[in-house]
C-alpha cells in the first residue's frame, strides 16, 4: 500500500499548529497523525493502532473503508465513471435514486421527492428550512434546546449551543428554541409548552413554518426523545398546519437500529434531512426528502456546484444493499443490547463517578454528574488507544458511536479500555468525593 510520505513521520502536529486556523478542534482531542484505517481501527503514522468509538462523528456507520463500498468505488474510477456532473443525469445517480426508492421508500410506503443539496449536513438543513419557509410563506422556525443542526447561518440559528452561536458574529433570527422532551419550562412539560407556543403564535398570526427536531440529540449529549413525545409533536404540528422536519443526519442511516430513527415512533415527517453515513464511505453527501406538495423550488432556484456527487452515489447505492437484508438490522440490535448492558454494568461498578447511561441503538452516552470527568475519561481512553468523543452543552457526556459493523470482539475490547479509563479517573478523585 502506498502511504503519503511526510517529512515528519512522528505524529508531529507542528504543521497544523503553525499554519492551520485556531478553529481546529478534534485534532486537539486526538493528537496523532492518522495514516490509514480499516473497519473499526485507525493507524497513525508510527503504526500505532486505535480502536474507533467515534466513527467520524457518525459519518462512518459501516466502518472505515468497507471492502464492498471501496471496491465499487475503485471499479467506478477504473472505468472512468463520471466524477462530477453538477445535477446532470448520470447512470450512478439514477442507480442511487432507483435503489433508494426500492430499498428505503417503497418498503416503508413512503412517498418523498429527493432533493440533493450541497454535500454537507448543514446544506441539507438549509435546503429544508428554505423549502419550509417558501412553501408556507412563513419565516419563523421552532426548534429545540440541545439541538445541533450545523454551522451555516440558517442551521446555526436553530442550534442551541451558545459557544457555536457566538461564532456567527451577527444576530441569529427567525427562530425560537423550545424545551426538548423531558425538560420543563414555566412549570409546563415540553409538549404543553409547544402547544401553548403554537396557540399563541396562531392567535398572533405568527405561526412558524416548521418545527425541526432530532429524535436523538447526538451532539447535544445523547438526549433521546420518546416515541410518545415525537407523536405528540407531530400531532401538534398537524393541528396547527406547521411542517415537521426531522434532522436525521446523525441519528439516521441505522444509528438507532432502523434506517430512519423515527420509524419506531410511526411519525411521518414532512421533510427529512440525511447526510453523514449516507455515502457509507465518509464521502460528503446529503439528501433532503420532501413530501411532493412541498417541491416548490423553481428549476435552479436552489442550486450548487456540488449538489449530488457521483462518487457518493456509487458508494451510497452500495451501502443500501445492507438494508435489503433484515439480518443486518438484527445484528445492529444485538450489538446495541450488548453495549447498553455493558455500559449499565460499568456505571454500577463505579458509583463514586456518579454516572448515568442514556441512548438508543448504537448511540449511547455516559452522563457524568461532574462535568469535567467525561473529558478526562476520553483523554484516558485515547492514551490507551481508543478514540471516543464527548458531547453535551458542557461536554459532560462520553458518547459511544461505534460502527454498526464493528466486530463484537473489538467492541468488547473498546469497552475494556473504557472500564480501565474510568478506573484511572476514579483513582484520581479527591478522597472526600469518594462515597465508599
Ligand atoms: C443532527 C445534525 N445535523 C446537522 C449536522 C451538520 O452536518 P455537517 O457537519 O455535515 O454540516 C450535524 C453534524 O454533526 C448533526 O449532527
Amino acid at each position: 500500500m502506498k502511504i503519503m510520505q511526510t517529512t515528519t513521520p512522528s505524529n508531529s502536529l507542528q504543521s497544523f499548529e503553525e499554519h492551520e486556523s485556531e478553529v481546529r478542534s478534534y485534532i486537539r482531542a486526538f493528537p496523532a497523525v492518522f495514516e490509514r484505517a480499516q473497519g473499526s481501527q485507525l493507524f497513525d503514522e508510527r503504526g500505532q493502532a486505535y480502536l474507533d468509538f467515534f466513527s467520524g462523528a457518525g459519518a462512518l456507520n459501516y466502518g472505515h473503508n468497507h471492502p464492498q463500498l471501496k471496491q465499487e468505488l475503485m471499479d467506478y474510477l477504473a472505468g472512468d465513471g463520471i466524477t462530477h456532473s453538477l445535477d446532470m443525469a448520470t447512470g450512478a445517480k439514477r442507480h442511487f435514486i432507483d435503489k433508494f426508492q426500492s430499498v428505503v421508500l417503497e418498503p416503508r410506503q413512503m412517498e418523498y421527492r429527493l432533493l440533493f443539496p450541497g454535500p454537507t449536513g448543514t446544506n441539507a438543513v438549509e435546503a429544508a428550512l428554505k423549502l419550509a419557509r417558501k412553501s408556507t410563506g412563513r419565516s419563523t422556525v421552532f426548534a429545540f434546546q440541545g439541538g445541533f443542526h450545523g454551522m451555516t447561518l440558517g442551521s446555526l440559528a436553530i442550534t442551541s449551543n451558545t459557544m457555536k452561536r457566538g461564532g456567527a458574529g451577527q444576530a441569529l433570527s427567525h427562530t425560537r428554541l423550545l424545551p426538548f422532551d423531558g425538560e420543563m419550562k414555566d412549570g409546563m412539560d415540553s409538549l404543553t409548552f409547544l402547544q401553548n407556543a403554537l396557540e399563541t403564535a396562531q392567535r398572533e398570526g405568527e405561526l412558524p413554518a416548521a418545527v425541526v427536531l432530532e429524535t436523538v440529540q447526538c451532539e447535544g449529549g445523547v438526549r433521546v426523545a420518546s416515541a410518545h413525545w415525537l407523536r405528540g409533536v407531530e400531532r401538534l404540528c398537524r393541528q396547527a398546519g406547521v411542517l415537521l422536519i426531522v434532522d436525521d443526519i446523525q441519528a439516521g442511516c441505522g444509528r438507532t437500529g432502523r434506517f430512519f430513527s423515527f420509524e419506531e415512533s410511526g411519525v411521518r415527517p414532512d421533510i427529512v434531512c440525511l447526510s453523514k453515513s449516507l455515502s457509507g464511505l465518509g464521502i460528503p453527501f446529503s439528501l433532503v426528502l420532501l413530501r411532493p406538495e412541498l417541491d416548490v423550488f423553481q428549476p435552479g432556484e436552489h442550486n450548487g456546484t456540488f449538489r449530488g456527487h457521483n462518487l457518493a452515489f456509487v458508494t451510497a447505492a452500495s451501502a443500501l444493499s445492507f438494508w435489503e437484508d433484515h439480518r443486518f438490522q438484527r445484528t445492529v440490535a444485538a450489538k446495541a443490547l450488548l453495549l447498553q448492558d455493558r455500559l449499565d454494568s460499568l456505571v454500577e461498578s463505579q458509583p463514586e463517578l456518579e454516572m448515568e447511561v442514556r441512548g438508543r441503538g448504537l448511540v449511547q452516552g455516559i452522563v457524568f454528574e461532574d462535568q469535567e470527568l467525561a473529558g478526562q475519561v476520553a483523554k484516558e481512553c485515547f492514551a490507551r488507544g481508543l478514540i471516543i468523543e464527548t458531547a453535551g452543552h458542557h461536554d459532560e457526556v462520553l458518547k459511544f458511536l461505534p460502527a454498526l459493523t464493528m466486530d463484537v470482539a473489538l467492541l468488547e475490547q473498546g469497552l475494556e479500555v473504557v472500564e480501565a479509563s474510568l478506573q484511572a479517573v476514579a483513582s484520581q478523585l479527591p478522597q472526600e468525593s469518594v462515597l465508599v
Side-chain angles (χ1 to χ4, degrees):
M1 179 188 297
K2 188 170 179 299
I3 291 179
M4 182 89 80
Q5 291 301 311
T6 65
T7 48
T8 50
S10 58
N11 274 344
S12 168
L13 298 178
Q14 195 182 344
S15 302
F16 309 94
E17 286 163 359
E18 281 182 9
H19 304 296
E20 199 188 345
S21 158
E22 283 301 313
V23 79
R24 61 194 192 279
S25 63
Y26 290 114
I27 187 175
R28 299 175 196 269
F30 310 124
V33 179
F34 297 99
E35 200 89 74
R36 62 188 185 89
Q38 174 47 235
S40 288
Q41 282 186 300
L42 290 102
F43 301 87
D44 70 19
E45 63 183 0
R46 288 177 315 179
Q48 152 101 42
Y50 300 81
L51 281 176
D52 192 359
F53 271 6
F54 174 47
S55 300
L60 292 163
N61 280 3
Y62 313 110
H64 296 263
N65 289 308
H66 191 286
Q68 176 189 314
L69 310 188
K70 193 174 77 173
Q71 190 59 52
E72 297 228 16
L73 182 60
M74 291 196 304
D75 292 348
Y76 186 77
L77 288 170
D80 283 338
I82 302 281
T83 57
H84 185 262
S85 59
L86 287 154
D87 71 357
M88 293 187 288
T90 64
K93 182 171 183 176
R94 180 174 53 205
H95 181 53
F96 172 76
I97 291 175
D98 291 346
K99 198 140 184 199
F100 195 82
Q101 198 64 36
S102 66
V103 176
V104 178
L105 297 183
E106 279 166 13
R108 293 167 179 78
Q109 292 160 343
M110 289 176 170
E111 203 191 332
Y112 287 120
R113 285 268 168 90
L114 278 60
L115 184 156
F116 298 101
T120 67
T122 197
N123 294 137
V125 174
E126 294 287 350
L129 293 175
K130 278 174 71 175
L131 273 174
R133 287 175 166 135
K134 184 169 159 74
S135 65
T136 60
R138 305 177 205 140
S139 47
T140 304
V141 170
F142 285 2
F144 295 96
Q145 293 290 349
F148 182 91
H149 301 283
M151 290 293 99
T152 50
L153 291 176
S155 309
L156 192 55
I158 52 166
T159 290
S160 79
N161 185 295
T162 40
M163 185 272 277
K164 308 268 187 215
R165 291 175 73 90
Q170 65 159 69
L172 296 168
S173 56
H174 300 304
T175 54
R176 183 162 174 205
L177 300 182
L178 304 164
F180 190 62
D181 189 13
E183 275 178 57
M184 296 285 285
K185 183 125 188 256
D186 301 339
M188 277 178 255
D189 70 86
S190 54
L191 277 182
T192 312
F193 195 90
L194 173 63
Q195 182 172 8
N196 286 357
L198 287 170
E199 283 170 2
T200 308
Q202 193 147 30
R203 263 198 314 278
E204 294 172 355
E206 285 177 359
L207 266 183
V211 171
V212 187
L213 61 84
E214 294 161 90
T215 63
V216 181
Q217 293 185 329
C218 297
E219 296 299 305
V222 195
R223 303 195 323 153
V224 181
S226 68
H228 166 77
W229 187 83
L230 293 171
R231 287 194 287 268
V233 174
E234 182 186 46
R235 178 175 40 80
L236 294 173
C237 285
R238 300 274 174 262
Q239 280 167 4
V242 166
L243 300 175
L244 175 62
I245 301 176
V246 172
D247 176 347
D248 228 11
I249 286 170
Q250 192 160 157
C253 295
R255 183 46 66 188
T256 63
R258 301 200 194 174
F259 187 81
F260 294 111
S261 69
F262 52 84
E263 278 182 58
E264 280 139 316
S265 69
V267 161
R268 284 290 163 109
D270 298 293
I271 300 178
V272 182
C273 299
L274 291 171
S275 184
K276 291 226 189 239
S277 281
L278 188 60
S279 81
L281 203 70
I283 298 175
F285 184 47
S286 291
L287 174 60
V288 179
L289 305 175
L290 50 136
R291 278 201 294 110
E293 312 86 273
L294 304 175
D295 199 11
V296 293
F297 286 143
Q298 298 296 315
E301 199 178 15
H302 184 80
N303 66 2
T305 313
F306 296 108
R307 231 168 42 77
H309 184 352
N310 283 280
L311 303 185
F313 286 132
V314 172
T315 56
S318 182
L320 289 178
S321 64
F322 303 140
W323 297 95
E324 285 174 316
D325 183 342
H326 281 291
R327 273 176 304 182
F328 182 70
Q329 201 170 293
R330 283 201 289 272
T331 63
V332 176
K335 282 178 217 179
L337 263 185
L338 184 146
L339 178 60
Q340 282 159 24
D341 278 359
R342 287 296 312 271
L343 294 185
D344 285 340
S345 328
L346 281 182
V347 162
E348 270 170 38
S349 68
Q350 302 278 339
E352 67 274 33
L353 289 174
E354 298 180 274
M355 302 173 283
E356 187 196 310
V357 180
R358 64 185 181 213
R360 250 184 81 202
L362 281 174
V363 50
Q364 297 286 328
I366 294 185
V367 190
F368 289 80
E369 182 66 28
D370 177 345
Q371 295 171 354
E372 298 297 310
L373 296 186
Q376 288 176 26
V377 176
K379 210 167 170 188
E380 292 286 344
C381 287
F382 186 70
R384 291 168 172 76
L386 175 74
I387 295 177
I388 187 164
E389 74 165 331
T390 56
H393 203 82
H394 304 283
D395 280 323
E396 71 281 14
V397 181
L398 190 67
K399 181 177 161 204
F400 294 77
L401 220 56
L404 313 185
T405 49
M406 192 166 194
D407 281 346
V408 171
L410 286 184
L411 189 60
E412 297 269 16
Q413 205 178 308
L415 287 164
E416 279 163 24
V417 173
V418 175
E419 184 170 19
S421 303
L422 288 170
Q423 281 162 1
V425 168
S427 71
Q428 293 156 23
L429 285 179
Q431 252 347 81
E432 63 271 23
S433 63
V434 177
L435 296 175
V436 281

